[in-house]
Amino acid sequence: MNIAVAQSGGPTCAINASLVGVFKQGIKTDKIDAIFGSINGIEGIINDNLIDLKRVIRTNEEMELLRQTPSTMLGSCRYKLPDYEKDSEVYEKIFECFTKHRIGVFVYIGGNDSMDTVVKLSDFLKTKNSDIKVIGIPKTIDNDLPVTDHTPGFGSAAKYVATSVQEIIRDSSVYSVDSVTIVEIMGRHAGWLAASTCMLRANGEIAPHLIYLPECDFSVERFLEDLRKEKSKHRAVIVAVSEGIKLDAEECGIENFQSGVEDVFGHKYLSGVGKCLERIVAKEIGCKVRSIELNVMQRCSSHICSKTDIDEAEEIGSAGLRAALEGETGKMMCFKRISDAPYVVTIESVDAKEVANKEKVFPQKWINAAQNDVSAEAENYFLPLIQGEVKIRLKNGLPVHFKREAL
Amino acid sequence: MNIAVAQSGGPTCAINASLVGVFKQGIKTDKIDAIFGSINGIEGIINDNLIDLKRVIRTNEEMELLRQTPSTMLGSCRYKLPDYEKDSEVYEKIFECFTKHRIGVFVYIGGNDSMDTVVKLSDFLKTKNSDIKVIGIPKTIDNDLPVTDHTPGFGSAAKYVATSVQEIIRDSSVYSVDSVTIVEIMGRHAGWLAASTCMLRANGEIAPHLIYLPECDFSVERFLEDLRKEKSKHRAVIVAVSEGIKLDAEECGIENFQSGVEDVFGHKYLSGVGKCLERIVAKEIGCKVRSIELNVMQRCSSHICSKTDIDEAEEIGSAGLRAALEGETGKMMCFKRISDAPYVVTIESVDAKEVANKEKVFPQKWINAAQNDVSAEAENYFLPLIQGEVKIRLKNGLPVHFKREAL
C-alpha cells in the first residue's frame, strides 16, 4: 500500500513539521511502500502531480531541515471541492489517481477549509465502498479551529508576534514626545494572535495598553476615548489590533480602506485596519502616530519558531497516519489539553464535520468588560505554546532551509 | 573627572552595545569618577537630566542584557543645535551642565545629524578655551555615514532583513498562481539595506529578482517592463525596494501616496512606496500582488542581531572614550576595512565635519547596468557584517531586555 500527503491553505512555520511527522511514521510502518507528496494540495491529486517523498527527503539532516523550513514544501492551494451531486467529475479524477497509485491513506494538512475536503472526500469514498482513509491534520496560525485546544503553527506565530511587539514597544518609547503605535496582527474573525500579546506581562514587560479583537464590537468613538485615557497615563501608547475588527466606514469618515476581494471560500482579504486607525488618530488626536503591519512574517518567521509548536506539529502528523492505519477516516486529529502547568496535551481524533467550515473565536470570558484587553487566564493558556527554541541551522549567518531538488 | 554619554536619532539593535562600550571603558579608567547618562540625547544635557550609570548598570549580567536590548536605553531625540551666532543660550546651558557635573568628556552616539551636534559643540567649547572633549560614535541602520566602512546597527538590520526576505520568499511561492511580492525596506536616500538582500545568493537561495535603490532613477514604465520579464521566468516574483525611491506621482496616476511631513532636519518621512507599487501592479498587470513593509522591525529585531555588529558597536564605543582621553575632540570614530576574507577592521577617528549632515550612498559600481540589481562584490562587502549570533537570554520563551529601574 502507498500513502499520499498534501498541504493546503496559508503557510505556517509548522506545516512542514507535520509533513515530517507523516513521513517518519510512514517509513517506519511495514505495510507502507511509497509515500507520495501531492503538489499544491488536492490539486496534485486531481492532476496526478505526485512526487516520491523518499527520493526528496533522503537523510535525517534533510528531515531536520524540513522541520525548520517555513511555508509548504509541497506547495499549497485554495481549491474547494464542489458538491458531489453537482459535479462528480473531479471526484472521479481523485479516485482514479488514488487507484492508479494504490493510495490507501490520504493525509491532508490544512485549516477549516481543508477539513471541508476531508469530509467530502471521505463521504465520497464511502459511497464507492472504498477502503481508502482520509485524515486531516490541523494547521493555521489563526488558532481558530473548533474542538482542538490549539492548532500547529499558532505557537510559532504567537512567539514571533510577542517578541516583535516587545521590541516595537522598546523602539516606540525612545522620544520625549507623546506617541501612539498601532500594531496590526493577523486574524480574520478570531483574535487569538492579537490577544496573545498579553503574554509579555509574564516577564513584567509592558504589553499593548489596548488590545482590540474581532470578537468585540469596535467603535471609533470608544477607541478614541480609550486612547485618551491611556495617553494620560503613558507617553508612548501601544495598541494591538486584529486585522479583522469591523470598522464602520461612515464613522471613520474614510471609504474604501478595507479591500474587499473575496477568495473562493468567501473570505475577504482584509488590509489596512492599522493604517485606517493611524489616520483617525492623526486627525482626531494629532499626536505622533505610526501603524505597523506584521504581515506574512507572522506565519513564516521560522528563525524564531516555538519548539513546542514544531514538536507537536510533527507528533500530530504521525498520530494522523497511525489513526488512518487503525481504520479511522473522515477525522481530524486534535490536541486535548490536560493541564497548563505542567503543560500536558494528548492527541485525539474528531469527526472532521465538527471542524469543517467552522471557526472557534476567542472566548468572551477572557475579554475584559471594557472590551479592550484580555485576562491573565488567557496568558496561562498561551504561554505553554511558545516555549522552547529550535536550534536553527545557519550558514553564512543566514538560516538554511530545505531545498527540494528539481524533480 | 566625570564623563557623559547620550544616544540620539532612530533606535537600532546596537546602540546600547555602544553605550556598554563607553561604560566599560569608563569604569576601568582610573581618572574617571562618575559616568553620566543623558536622557533623550543632548536634551538631557540642556535640561540637566542626567543619571548615574553606575547605579543603573550594576552587574555583568545587566551589562550583557543591555548589550542585547534594542532601542536606546537613555531615550533619544531629534534635537538640532542652532547656530551659535544666532542663538547662544542653549550652548551656555550645555556648558553650565558640563561644568556643574565636572564633565570632561561627552560621547554622542548617533547618525549624521548627531555628528552635526559633535561639530558645533566641540567648536563652541574651543571658543571657550574649554578642555572638554566631544566624540561621536556612529550609529544608523541606514549605513549611510561617510568615511566609515559601515555603521554599527546596520549589520543587525541587514541580518533581520535578509532572514525575513528569505522566509517571505518561501511564503510567497506556495500557490500555483502567478504572483508579485514587493518588500519595502528602510533607506531614505541610501539603498544599503535593500541592496543587502543580495546576500541570500551566498547560500544558493533566491534573492529578490529585482532590487530598486534610491541611488537609481526609477521609472514606472521600466519597472513594469522588468516585472513582465521576470514574470516570464518565475511564477512568484520578488521585488525589494528602498522606501526612498522617487516615484513620479503623475506617472503613477496616484497622488498623495507619500506622506510629506518633514522633521527638524528636513527629512521627509516616507511611507507607502510598496503600497503604491502594489496598486500599480494590480492595475497594470493584474496578477496576485502583495506589498510588505518591514517597518521598525528592521531596527529593533534584537532577537536576530548580528554578533559581529554588537561586538563592533561595543568596541567602537570603548575606542571613542579612549580617543577622547588621549585628547581628541570633534571627531567621529570609524571602521576601516582591511580585508573582506578574513574579515579585518580597524577603528580610527575622523573629523566629524567630514560626516556631519552628509550621506554615503550605495556605490554605482555595485549596481547593474539595468539599474535593478546589485553585484557579487556587494555580497562580499555585506556578508562579514551579519556573521555570528548573540546568545539571547530568554524567560518564558520570550527575550529578556534590560530594565532601567525607576529613577
Side-chain angles (χ1 to χ4, degrees):
Chain A
M1 178 185 76
N2 301 324
I3 67 165
V5 53
Q7 300 170 310
S8 174
T12 75
C13 288
I15 191 165
N16 283 330
S18 288
L19 177 62
V20 168
V22 175
F23 181 75
K24 266 193 192 170
Q25 185 64 46
I27 50 177
K28 68 183 177 196
T29 305
D30 279 347
K31 56 182 164 185
I32 294 174
D33 303 316
I35 303 165
F36 291 112
S38 166
I39 301 298
N40 290 122
I42 191 72
E43 289 178 6
I45 305 287
I46 298 168
N47 305 322
D48 194 11
N49 190 5
L50 305 184
I51 60 172
D52 179 348
L53 284 179
K54 287 185 191 170
R55 289 180 56 196
V56 174
I57 312 167
R58 293 158 305 185
T59 62
N60 284 345
E61 198 201 358
E62 285 185 340
M63 208 143 61
E64 183 50 42
L65 266 189
L66 182 54
R67 257 172 58 95
Q68 53 183 254
T69 297
S71 192
T72 59
M73 189 266 270
L74 295 170
S76 184
C77 71
R78 290 211 180 267
Y79 185 90
K80 193 180 169 89
L81 276 182
D83 282 337
Y84 176 70
E85 289 75 24
K86 287 183 189 156
D87 182 358
S88 64
E89 193 189 333
V90 72
Y91 287 86
E92 297 301 340
K93 274 190 181 173
I94 291 171
F95 191 63
E96 201 179 304
C97 176
F98 282 168
T99 309
K100 174 180 167 190
H101 296 287
R102 299 191 300 117
I103 307 290
V105 174
F106 175 58
V107 182
Y108 209 21
I109 312 168
N112 43 23
D113 299 332
S114 312
M115 296 314 138
D116 177 76
T117 301
V118 170
V119 170
K120 285 176 175 162
L121 207 50
S122 58
D123 283 352
F124 161 74
L125 289 166
K126 281 175 200 159
T127 66
K128 283 270 185 187
N129 286 320
S130 163
D131 259 350
I132 301 167
K133 311 300 181 202
V134 183
I135 287 285
I137 305 295
K139 172 266 6 163
T140 167
I141 65 159
D142 292 334
N143 202 38
D144 61 352
L145 296 192
V147 191
T148 189
D149 176 75
H150 59 280
T151 57
F154 174 71
S156 293
K159 192 178 178 93
Y160 170 79
V161 168
T163 300
S164 296
V165 168
Q166 180 171 329
E167 291 167 339
I168 289 167
I169 289 173
R170 290 270 161 173
D171 184 275
S172 69
S173 62
V174 299
Y175 296 111
S176 52
V177 298
D178 282 9
S179 67
V180 173
T181 304
I182 299 160
V183 185
E184 181 183 322
I185 295 166
M186 280 182 165
R188 279 187 224 109
H189 304 119
W192 294 96
L193 207 47
S196 74
T197 57
C198 73
M199 284 189 292
L200 296 181
R201 293 184 190 127
N203 289 355
E205 288 285 337
I206 297 166
H209 302 107
L210 297 166
I211 300 176
Y212 295 106
L213 310 179
E215 285 82 356
C216 307
D217 288 333
F218 186 86
S219 128
V220 169
E221 199 182 325
R222 216 166 48 229
F223 165 66
L224 289 170
E225 220 169 89
D226 291 350
L227 210 53
R228 288 197 177 99
K229 205 161 140 191
E230 293 302 322
K231 273 178 62 35
S232 72
K233 290 185 280 183
H234 315 284
R235 198 182 60 228
V237 176
I238 312 295
V239 180
V241 58
S242 279
E243 62 178 341
I245 62 158
K246 282 147 220 84
L247 293 181
D248 184 297
E250 214 171 308
E251 199 189 7
C252 298
I254 295 166
E255 281 184 51
N256 298 322
F257 54 86
Q258 286 174 307
S259 61
V261 189
E262 290 193 9
D263 70 12
V264 289
F265 290 94
H267 303 145
K268 286 195 176 170
Y269 289 116
L270 305 182
S271 82
V273 163
K275 216 28 134 190
C276 179
L277 294 181
E278 178 188 323
R279 281 184 237 158
I280 291 170
V281 173
K283 189 171 162 236
E284 301 296 333
I285 298 193
C287 65
K288 182 178 172 178
V289 56
R290 182 194 281 273
S291 69
I292 297 162
E293 194 183 342
L294 292 182
N295 217 312
V296 296
M297 290 80 86
Q298 294 164 85
R299 65 186 196 195
C300 67
S301 289
S302 283
H303 71 269
I304 187 174
C305 63
S306 153
K307 185 174 186 301
T308 297
D309 184 34
I310 300 301
D311 288 348
E312 286 185 347
E314 182 184 325
E315 282 162 31
I316 203 167
S318 295
L321 179 52
R322 281 198 305 272
L325 294 172
E326 285 161 13
E328 297 203 55
T329 191
K331 300 288 179 73
M332 184 189 85
M333 307 310 291
C334 65
F335 293 118
K336 186 176 172 185
R337 191 182 301 214
I338 308 300
S339 71
D340 289 337
Y343 174 62
V344 181
V345 288
T346 56
I347 297 175
E348 300 184 348
S349 68
V350 56
D351 209 320
K353 282 191 178 72
E354 302 293 317
V355 181
N357 305 312
K358 289 177 186 157
E359 285 177 321
K360 184 178 72 180
V361 296
F362 189 78
Q364 283 294 334
K365 65 175 179 187
W366 289 345
I367 302 175
N368 68 343
Q371 305 270 291
N372 59 18
D373 200 358
V374 303
S375 71
E377 284 76 35
E379 216 178 294
N380 297 334
Y381 166 82
F382 288 126
L383 272 170
L385 310 180
I386 66 156
Q387 298 310 307
E389 291 72 46
V390 172
K391 203 179 148 31
I392 298 296
R393 205 181 129 203
L394 296 148
K395 192 179 157 191
N396 284 316
L398 294 166
V400 180
H401 290 156
F402 179 84
K403 279 197 190 73
R404 203 172 88 201
E405 310 261 315
L407 291 157
Chain B
M1 179 184 77
N2 300 325
I3 68 166
V5 53
Q7 300 170 310
S8 174
T12 75
C13 288
I15 191 166
N16 283 330
S18 288
L19 177 62
V20 168
V22 175
F23 181 74
K24 265 193 192 171
Q25 185 65 46
I27 51 177
K28 68 184 176 197
T29 305
D30 278 348
K31 56 182 162 183
I32 293 174
D33 304 316
I35 304 166
F36 291 113
S38 166
I39 302 298
N40 290 123
I42 190 72
E43 289 178 6
I45 304 287
I46 297 168
N47 304 323
D48 194 11
N49 190 5
L50 305 183
I51 59 173
D52 180 348
L53 285 180
K54 287 185 192 171
R55 290 182 55 197
V56 174
I57 313 167
R58 294 158 303 184
T59 62
N60 283 345
E61 198 200 358
E62 286 185 340
M63 207 145 58
E64 183 50 43
L65 266 189
L66 183 54
R67 258 172 57 95
Q68 53 183 253
T69 297
S71 192
T72 59
M73 189 264 272
L74 295 171
S76 185
C77 71
R78 290 210 179 268
Y79 185 90
K80 194 179 168 91
L81 276 182
D83 282 337
Y84 177 70
E85 289 75 23
K86 288 184 189 157
D87 182 358
S88 63
E89 193 188 334
V90 71
Y91 288 85
E92 297 301 341
K93 275 190 181 172
I94 290 171
F95 191 62
E96 201 178 303
C97 177
F98 282 168
T99 309
K100 174 179 168 191
H101 296 287
R102 298 190 301 117
I103 307 289
V105 174
F106 176 57
V107 182
Y108 209 22
I109 311 169
N112 42 24
D113 299 332
S114 312
M115 296 313 138
D116 177 76
T117 300
V118 169
V119 170
K120 285 175 175 162
L121 205 51
S122 58
D123 283 354
F124 160 74
L125 290 166
K126 280 175 202 159
T127 67
K128 282 272 183 185
N129 286 320
S130 163
D131 260 349
I132 301 167
K133 312 299 182 202
V134 183
I135 288 284
I137 305 296
K139 173 266 5 164
T140 167
I141 65 158
D142 292 334
N143 201 39
D144 61 352
L145 296 192
V147 190
T148 189
D149 175 74
H150 59 279
T151 57
F154 173 71
S156 293
K159 191 178 179 92
Y160 170 79
V161 168
T163 300
S164 296
V165 169
Q166 180 171 328
E167 291 167 339
I168 289 167
I169 290 174
R170 290 271 161 172
D171 184 275
S172 70
S173 62
V174 299
Y175 296 111
S176 53
V177 298
D178 282 9
S179 67
V180 172
T181 303
I182 299 160
V183 186
E184 180 181 323
I185 296 165
M186 280 181 164
R188 280 187 224 109
H189 304 118
W192 294 96
L193 208 46
S196 73
T197 56
C198 73
M199 283 189 293
L200 295 181
R201 292 182 191 129
N203 289 354
E205 288 286 337
I206 297 166
H209 301 105
L210 297 165
I211 300 176
Y212 295 105
L213 310 178
E215 286 82 356
C216 306
D217 288 334
F218 186 86
S219 128
V220 170
E221 198 183 324
R222 217 166 49 229
F223 165 66
L224 290 169
E225 218 170 90
D226 290 350
L227 211 51
R228 287 194 179 100
K229 206 161 139 190
E230 293 302 322
K231 274 178 59 40
S232 70
K233 291 185 281 183
H234 315 284
R235 198 182 59 229
V237 176
I238 312 295
V239 180
V241 58
S242 280
E243 62 177 340
I245 62 158
K246 282 147 221 84
L247 294 181
D248 185 298
E250 214 172 308
E251 200 189 5
C252 297
I254 296 166
E255 279 183 54
N256 298 323
F257 55 86
Q258 288 174 307
S259 61
V261 189
E262 291 194 9
D263 70 11
V264 289
F265 290 94
H267 303 145
K268 286 194 177 170
Y269 289 115
L270 305 181
S271 83
V273 163
K275 217 26 136 192
C276 178
L277 294 181
E278 178 188 322
R279 281 185 238 158
I280 292 170
V281 173
K283 190 172 162 235
E284 302 294 333
I285 298 192
C287 66
K288 182 178 172 179
V289 57
R290 184 193 278 272
S291 69
I292 297 162
E293 193 183 342
L294 292 182
N295 218 311
V296 296
M297 290 81 86
Q298 295 164 84
R299 63 187 197 195
C300 67
S301 289
S302 283
H303 70 269
I304 186 175
C305 62
S306 153
K307 184 174 188 299
T308 298
D309 184 33
I310 300 301
D311 288 348
E312 285 184 349
E314 181 184 326
E315 283 162 29
I316 202 166
S318 294
L321 179 52
R322 282 198 304 273
L325 294 172
E326 285 160 13
E328 298 202 55
T329 191
K331 300 286 179 74
M332 183 189 85
M333 306 311 291
C334 65
F335 293 118
K336 187 177 170 183
R337 190 182 301 215
I338 307 300
S339 70
D340 288 336
Y343 174 63
V344 181
V345 288
T346 57
I347 297 175
E348 300 183 347
S349 68
V350 55
D351 208 320
K353 281 191 178 70
E354 303 292 318
V355 180
N357 305 312
K358 288 177 186 159
E359 286 178 319
K360 183 178 73 181
V361 296
F362 189 78
Q364 283 293 334
K365 65 175 179 186
W366 288 346
I367 301 174
N368 69 341
Q371 305 272 290
N372 60 18
D373 200 358
V374 303
S375 71
E377 284 76 35
E379 215 177 294
N380 297 333
Y381 166 81
F382 287 126
L383 272 170
L385 309 179
I386 67 156
Q387 299 309 306
E389 291 71 47
V390 172
K391 203 177 149 31
I392 298 297
R393 203 181 130 203
L394 295 149
K395 193 178 156 191
N396 285 316
L398 294 166
V400 181
H401 290 155
F402 180 84
K403 280 196 189 74
R404 205 172 87 200
E405 311 261 315
L407 292 157

